[in-house]
Amino acid sequence: KLSTMKMLLLLAALLSAALLASTAPPTCYSRVLSLSKEITESFKELQTSKTVDSCVQTLPRLYLDIHNYCVLAKLRDFVAYPGCDRVVEVNELKEKARSLYTILISYCRRDLVFLTDDCNALEIPISPPIEHS
């Protein structure tokens, strides 16, 4: 009877810890990281979509690395790019880029550390390593 009670208490403690961990508010870093990944993936999807306007091919490349100081200039350039204003998906992407820029320069300004300022690295994304079987 005592071991059953201990097991129930242990289970309750584990469940509580799991709930607390999953409901923890995002940090500035985690929010910026997830938003930059979301924007990069949306841009890739937009570039490969067959149904989107041909002007999408002329957009500046949008590979984002929030550890690179040049990401700020990259976001500014993308948001200010005059083409494709008639494409809803591009406007949505520009709005997300504007939000990321605002978060980076305002809310998270002191929380982030830029590890590099290599602007060329944002032009050619690093491919994930190929796994050999």
Side-chain angles (χ1 to χ4, degrees):
K1 195 173 188 178
L2 188 56
S3 67
T4 305
M5 186 63 125
K6 283 183 182 180
M7 290 297 284
L8 286 173
L9 285 173
L10 180 61
L11 182 62
L14 288 173
L15 286 174
S16 295
L19 285 174
L20 287 175
S22 66
T23 59
T27 62
C28 244
Y29 177 76
S30 65
R31 177 66 183 129
V32 165
L33 187 61
S34 67
L35 187 54
S36 69
K37 286 179 181 178
E38 180 183 330
I39 291 169
T40 299
E41 286 304 312
S42 294
F43 181 74
K44 284 180 191 174
E45 290 172 11
L46 189 61
Q47 289 283 306
T48 58
S49 175
K50 305 287 187 234
T51 60
V52 178
D53 196 288
S54 61
C55 73
V56 170
Q57 300 305 318
T58 65
L59 290 170
R61 293 185 63 124
L62 196 59
Y63 167 70
L64 303 177
D65 175 4
I66 61 161
H67 303 103
N68 188 332
Y69 185 74
C70 292
V71 74
L72 297 172
K74 175 67 84 175
L75 289 167
R76 276 193 313 267
D77 291 347
F78 185 79
V79 170
Y81 188 76
C84 290
D85 288 338
R86 65 184 177 272
V87 180
V88 173
E89 294 89 350
V90 172
N91 289 327
E92 289 172 353
L93 198 54
K94 283 184 175 185
E95 197 54 44
K96 285 182 185 180
R98 187 177 291 112
S99 294
L100 178 59
Y101 181 81
T102 301
I103 293 168
L104 283 168
I105 64 166
S106 299
Y107 303 109
C108 299
R109 186 183 60 207
R110 292 191 178 121
D111 295 345
L112 297 176
V113 175
F114 295 108
L115 304 175
T116 183
D117 62 352
D118 181 4
C119 296
N120 288 330
L122 295 180
E123 293 303 316
I124 304 169
I126 299 169
S127 300
I130 299 170
E131 293 183 24
H132 299 287
S133 16

